[in-house]
Amino acid sequence: NDNNNNTTTDNNNNNMSEGINSAFATLSGGDIWSTEAFSLPSPLHDLLSSNTPLTLDELLAQDELLQELRGCEVQLVEYFGRGEVVAELVECVLDAVPYGGEGEG
């Protein structure tokens, strides 16, 4: 019975060692940031990878939008480069600005 316990312990230790070795083997191919070890779920990336058409309101509601635009995310740059999207952005800005003497004191 002691042999069975020792065999089980040895197998568990071997499995753990193999897992650690595998993780280090993955890292040896590049830096740690190129792996997905620290990747977090992103609603923006989920939205971009879905097959549904993008809407300006959905994109503007995403917390990491500015960061991804600064990182030159291709889909976002292409989307925000379209004429109708630029026009919609201008409309959003103009709607938020008071006209005439409304804002003057």
Side-chain angles (χ1 to χ4, degrees):
N1 198 10
D2 284 339
N3 284 340
N4 287 343
N5 287 340
N6 288 340
T7 303
T8 302
T9 302
D10 289 343
N11 286 340
N12 289 341
N13 288 339
N14 286 340
N15 289 341
M16 186 169 47
S17 295
E18 288 173 11
I20 292 171
N21 289 337
S22 174
F24 283 114
T26 300
L27 292 178
S28 67
D31 63 24
I32 194 166
W33 306 114
S34 65
T35 68
E36 294 192 12
F38 293 103
S39 68
L40 299 172
S42 166
L44 180 58
H45 284 275
D46 292 343
L47 187 63
L48 293 174
S49 63
S50 73
N51 290 329
T52 59
L54 299 173
T55 66
L56 184 59
D57 289 335
E58 286 176 326
L59 289 173
L60 292 177
Q62 301 302 313
D63 291 334
E64 67 268 15
L65 176 65
L66 185 57
Q67 177 182 343
E68 292 296 325
L69 282 169
R70 285 182 178 164
C72 295
E73 167 62 50
V74 174
Q75 275 185 281
L76 290 174
V77 172
E78 288 174 356
Y79 179 81
F80 282 98
R82 294 182 1 212
E84 65 271 13
V85 174
V86 172
E88 195 173 346
L89 282 169
V90 170
E91 281 183 42
C92 289
V93 171
L94 292 178
D95 285 345
V97 175
Y99 293 104
E102 294 177 26
E104 298 174 15

